[in-house]
Amino acid sequence: MSAANSLLTWTGCRTSESLNGAWNAIIDVYDVGASGPFGGDAMFAEMFGFPADRGRNSPGRRAEYDFDTSPVLQVPGDWNTQNERFHFYEGSMWLRKRFSAQVDAERRTFVYFGAANHGTWVYLNSKKVAEHEGGYGPFCVEVTGLLKPDEENSLIVRVNNQRTKSAIPTTRTDWFNYGGITRDVTLIEVPSTFIRDAVVQLDPANPTVVCVDVSLDGPNASQAVTVSVAGETLGTLHTNEAGRGEARFALPSTLRRWSPSDPVRHEVTVSCESDSVTDLIGFRTIATKGTQILLNGEPLFLAGISLHDESLGDPARRIQTADEARALLAHAKALGCNFVRLAHYQHNEHTVRACDEMGLMAWCEIPVYWGIDWENEATLANAKDQLAELIVRDRNRASVILWSVANETPPAEQRTVFLRALVKEARQLDPTRLVTAALFSHAQGGEVFDMTKESDHWMIDDPLGEDLDVLGVNEYHGWYYGSFETMAKTRWSTPYDKPMIVSEFGADAKAGLRGGNDESWTEDFQAEVYRHQLAMLAKIPFLAGTTPWILKDFRAPFRLLPDVQDGFNRKGLIDTNGNHKLAYDVLASWYQDRLAQKG
Ligand code: GCB
């Protein structure tokens, strides 16, 4: 079963207990912790097998490990920034949490992981209960009947962040490979028949109708289910034996619609005889018409910025809390953005919920990024799983308007077959949103051409464009290639009658480094690149939005220029502490004018 099928949604309203906090960690460089150094040998497995959770003073055979006296890591958290010894470690780490739980025999219990990077094995009281692949997606495991009522439980997680060629993402990424349980871990309790998922979204073709799709799970899966919005009952549907039910209900047209200027969310409750869930949901439509993007039927320009899932402050690390997400997004709001590109993988749910709350539309993406093993069926299966986890988790969020299936993948037959399968998957899981991908600007006629050759005509004709609703295009004129003179006369065209978002452009600048407008790595040069870029982009008739690269400097191991990069990609408009660079104001004033033009 795909991990997404077993995902719980509406978790915020559930009876739950956080398993965040101090976990003991054992580094396992030779990866022997599951079975000992001799594989299946029972004697050595007992001495070395970490899932048994024995220790120095445990009775019986000696154990050569001990969680109790091993270092502590905070969860959520990567190991790289918590312990200097682990900074560049890539491999297996075992983490253990002991906890006691009230066990109600009438109810079911799940352990929910926000994310763990990358391959995860989960053991409860020495029994393996789950495996999961993918460093950014949520997953959960049912542990009903496995918890001990009267003594402590041992939850042991082996996380391995080794980069591999067939994984998603693969071995080379321009971001840091933070290892560990990087997002919240929660013990969640539900009734024996419960609402596993409920999708409540406006019909894109008729904004006065809400489409409801419910799945119940448990022995009495066939039930009447009532849906109410803002205290008013919309109607009742009936689930079948398998627990599935769909219905369409009228939604009062007076109910305020969600938009960046009025990010209103309404209390939605879904109840059946055995369960009831509540959440805040915003209602809006998103569509395209020719080269325009329409929000609630009105064309608008997507004034955006790209972000990584990295918090402000020192040390740079993954976002862990809603407040950290809000603090980062506040810089995008101050820039005048109505849109963010959550690159290049599934961001923390806190960030997506903060987008809903703060009125930022969002582009959400999976790490199908550089060098994917297109021929590998397991790779495709994992990409589909990751996409499904993302969509199932976030398809009730009004802020999410675009699912992106890939970033910078050179056109080739098998690549297009692979990505088409993902586009299809996205549409099946969510027919209410738009699908995009960040394409290469320098791919024309199905080939990637030499970027160093100057060209003053950019034709966006990647064959995948046929399948997308919105074309995303990354380009680095004025930085990796292309002169300012050529940019001034560059013409853009596309055979597709579709909107285009320039999903990346930018230049590195070390905060505080000043110089001439022609001096690389200075704030002045970065600002100059932005001025030339914005002048060029303003002339593209099918441009529907921009998400320059990037809001904040971020950790990137192959960015090595001493005293400038030092392991960070410096294309941020702000540095890691939130200080603005000159280009920030250049973009802010362009967005102000652009949004004023569009009314
Ligand atoms: C890109 C990638 C992004 C990099 C960026 C850069 O094209 O999509 O992940 O960080 O360029 O800075 O070169």
Side-chain angles (χ1 to χ4, degrees), residues 50-98:
F50 301 159
D53 195 4
R54 297 166 63 238
R56 187 191 182 103
N57 299 320
S58 64
R61 197 175 290 285
R62 276 183 301 282
E64 297 209 16
Y65 66 92
D66 187 358
F67 278 103
D68 287 344
T69 50
S70 292
V72 164
L73 287 176
Q74 293 299 318
V75 169
D78 60 80
W79 60 66
N80 317 79
T81 60
Q82 293 193 54
N83 184 327
E84 219 168 307
R85 280 177 53 221
F86 302 156
H87 187 74
F88 283 117
Y89 179 62
E90 293 185 316
S92 283
M93 184 78 78
W94 291 76
L95 293 115
R96 186 207 65 189
K97 179 85 179 166
R98 286 250 173 98

Side-chain angles (χ1 to χ4, degrees), residues 173-175 308 341 343-344 369-370 407-408 438 440 474-476 479-480 504 508 549-550 554 556 558-559 569 571:
T173 60
D174 191 20
W175 68 85
H308 264 294
R341 175 180 178 208
H344 280 304
Y369 179 98
W370 300 356
N407 179 76
E408 291 187 352
F440 270 124
N474 293 356
E475 53 94 358
Y476 280 91
W479 181 249
Y480 292 123
E504 287 183 31
D508 280 67
W549 195 252
I550 182 169
F554 60 96
F558 69 72
R559 304 289 176 173
N569 183 312
K571 294 192 186 69

Side-chain angles (χ1 to χ4, degrees), residues 211-245:
C211 304
V212 179
D213 187 345
V214 179
S215 349
L216 302 194
D217 181 326
N220 303 312
S222 176
Q223 295 193 35
V225 178
T226 303
V227 180
S228 70
V229 173
E232 269 190 50
T233 301
L234 300 188
T236 298
L237 60 89
H238 294 270
T239 51
N240 62 19
E241 293 291 305
R244 296 298 306 273

Side-chain angles (χ1 to χ4, degrees), residues 3-121:
N5 292 335
S6 60
L7 208 59
L8 299 188
T9 55
W10 301 66
T11 51
C13 64
R14 294 293 186 190
T15 306
S16 64
E17 188 184 322
S18 171
L19 297 179
N20 289 348
W23 291 51
N24 290 92
I26 301 179
I27 188 168
D28 186 9
V29 182
Y30 284 10
D31 217 4
V32 298
S35 53
F38 302 109
D41 186 296
M43 180 185 79
F44 284 106
E46 209 182 321
M47 287 172 88
F48 291 92
F50 301 159
D53 195 4
R54 297 166 63 238
R56 187 191 182 103
N57 299 320
S58 64
R61 197 175 290 285
R62 276 183 301 282
E64 297 209 16
Y65 66 92
D66 187 358
F67 278 103
D68 287 344
T69 50
S70 292
V72 164
L73 287 176
Q74 293 299 318
V75 169
D78 60 80
W79 60 66
N80 317 79
T81 60
Q82 293 193 54
N83 184 327
E84 219 168 307
R85 280 177 53 221
F86 302 156
H87 187 74
F88 283 117
Y89 179 62
E90 293 185 316
S92 283
M93 184 78 78
W94 291 76
L95 293 115
R96 186 207 65 189
K97 179 85 179 166
R98 286 250 173 98
F99 65 97
S100 37
Q102 303 280 345
V103 179
D104 179 342
E106 301 293 297
R107 292 170 71 83
R108 294 165 66 180
T109 317
F110 292 79
V111 184
Y112 188 102
F113 291 84
N117 187 33
H118 175 92
T120 309
W121 299 345

Side-chain angles (χ1 to χ4, degrees), residues 466-489:
E466 266 173 41
D467 305 79
L468 305 175
D469 299 304
V470 175
L471 311 169
V473 175
N474 293 356
E475 53 94 358
Y476 280 91
H477 291 260
W479 181 249
Y480 292 123
Y481 48 80
S483 64
F484 293 157
E485 294 69 42
T486 315
M487 284 162 82
K489 46 182 191 185

